């Protein structure tokens, strides 16, 4: 299916039905609506036509594009894309490895509200719960891991990304969905 969102004056597109024909698999593309203006914005999961980033849940927040993608190493995790040229090419960076290692946190329903980015994800410890982010990129020091940050709960998962509350305690999921911003500052779910 074709997924489209506007960002930085260009349209971001991923067409799953066409990605198997691409030499690099399914990735994030941008378009100005013309044939020559349709280009791959970045390559998240490098490789051949079988390496798919599975880009989904695109949303614009604080001047950047946020979405779920799989780089082939961390599983499906939240990403941040910033355009670096006027054609829309840029760099996608892992926002946070919420579910450490190759397993996926499967982030979805990205919604900006109250100056923060909200989304649902599963960190592997608490089930699917509500997460919030400032949009700042997280740390990826696998040698030290979370132990180096044990005194600062908001840093677990990233520099500015954390779980809001374990609503359904333990590994049970509260499954937040239909995230809606009311009046620019109140999140309903």
């Amino acid at each position: 299916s074709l997924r489209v969102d506007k960002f930085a004056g260009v349209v971001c597109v991923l067409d799953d039905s066409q990605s198997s024909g691409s030499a690099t698999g399914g990735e994030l593309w941008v378009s100005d609506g013309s044939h020559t203006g349709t280009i791959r914005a970045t390559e998240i999961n490098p490789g051949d036509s079988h390496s798919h980033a599975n880009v989904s849940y695109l949303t614009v927040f604080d001047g950047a594009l946020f979405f779920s993608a799989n780089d082939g190493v961390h599983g499906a995790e939240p990403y941040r894309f910033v355009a670096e040229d006027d054609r829309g090419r840029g760099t996608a960076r892992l926002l946070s490895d919420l579910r450490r290692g190759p397993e996926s946190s499967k982030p979805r329903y990205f919604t900006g509200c109250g100056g923060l980015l909200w989304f649902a994800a599963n960190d592997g410890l608490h089930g699917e719960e509500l997460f919030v982010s400032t949009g700042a990129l997280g740390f990826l020091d696998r040698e030290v891991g979370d132990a180096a940050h044990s005194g600062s709960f908001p840093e677990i998962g990233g520099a500015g990304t954390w779980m809001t509350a374990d609503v359904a305690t333990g590994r049970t999921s509260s499954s937040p969905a239909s995230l809606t911003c009311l009046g620019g500052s109140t999140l309903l779910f």
Side-chain angles (χ1 to χ4, degrees):
S1 67
L2 186 65
R3 292 189 297 271
V4 177
D5 201 355
K6 292 182 179 178
F7 170 69
V10 294
V11 178
C12 302
V13 179
L14 176 68
D15 184 354
D16 289 332
S17 66
Q18 301 300 318
S19 61
S20 61
S22 169
T24 59
E27 295 288 346
L28 182 67
W29 290 70
V30 296
S31 179
D32 64 6
S34 70
H35 178 72
T36 57
T38 302
I39 59 172
R40 187 179 69 218
T42 189
E43 187 170 19
I44 299 162
N45 190 347
D48 61 17
S49 63
H50 301 291
S51 61
H52 297 281
N54 297 319
V55 175
S56 59
Y57 299 103
L58 289 79
T59 196
V60 176
F61 170 74
D62 197 27
L65 180 70
F66 291 84
F67 53 90
S68 174
N70 186 336
D71 65 3
V73 176
H74 300 100
E77 295 292 347
Y79 274 79
R80 177 178 189 246
F81 173 81
V82 176
E84 296 170 350
D85 67 25
D86 60 351
R87 293 198 63 205
R89 284 195 176 103
T91 304
R93 290 199 168 86
L94 184 64
L95 178 66
S96 179
D97 189 7
L98 296 174
R99 191 166 188 164
R100 297 281 190 234
E103 297 296 318
S104 298
S105 70
K106 299 178 184 171
R108 55 193 184 148
Y109 313 132
F110 293 97
T111 303
C113 188
L116 295 168
L117 180 67
W118 304 83
F119 59 96
N122 184 335
D123 66 3
L125 303 173
H126 303 98
E128 186 179 43
E129 295 292 349
L130 184 65
F131 281 76
V132 64
S133 179
T134 63
L137 298 176
F139 60 86
L140 292 173
D141 187 352
R142 296 199 181 283
E143 297 300 317
V144 178
D146 286 338
H149 303 280
S150 62
S152 56
F153 176 69
E155 292 223 10
I156 296 174
T161 303
W162 62 95
M163 183 177 66
T164 60
D166 191 7
V167 175
T169 58
R171 291 184 184 261
T172 305
S173 296
S174 69
S175 302
S178 302
L179 306 183
T180 304
C181 187
L182 179 65
S185 62
T186 303
L187 184 78
L188 303 172
F189 63 98

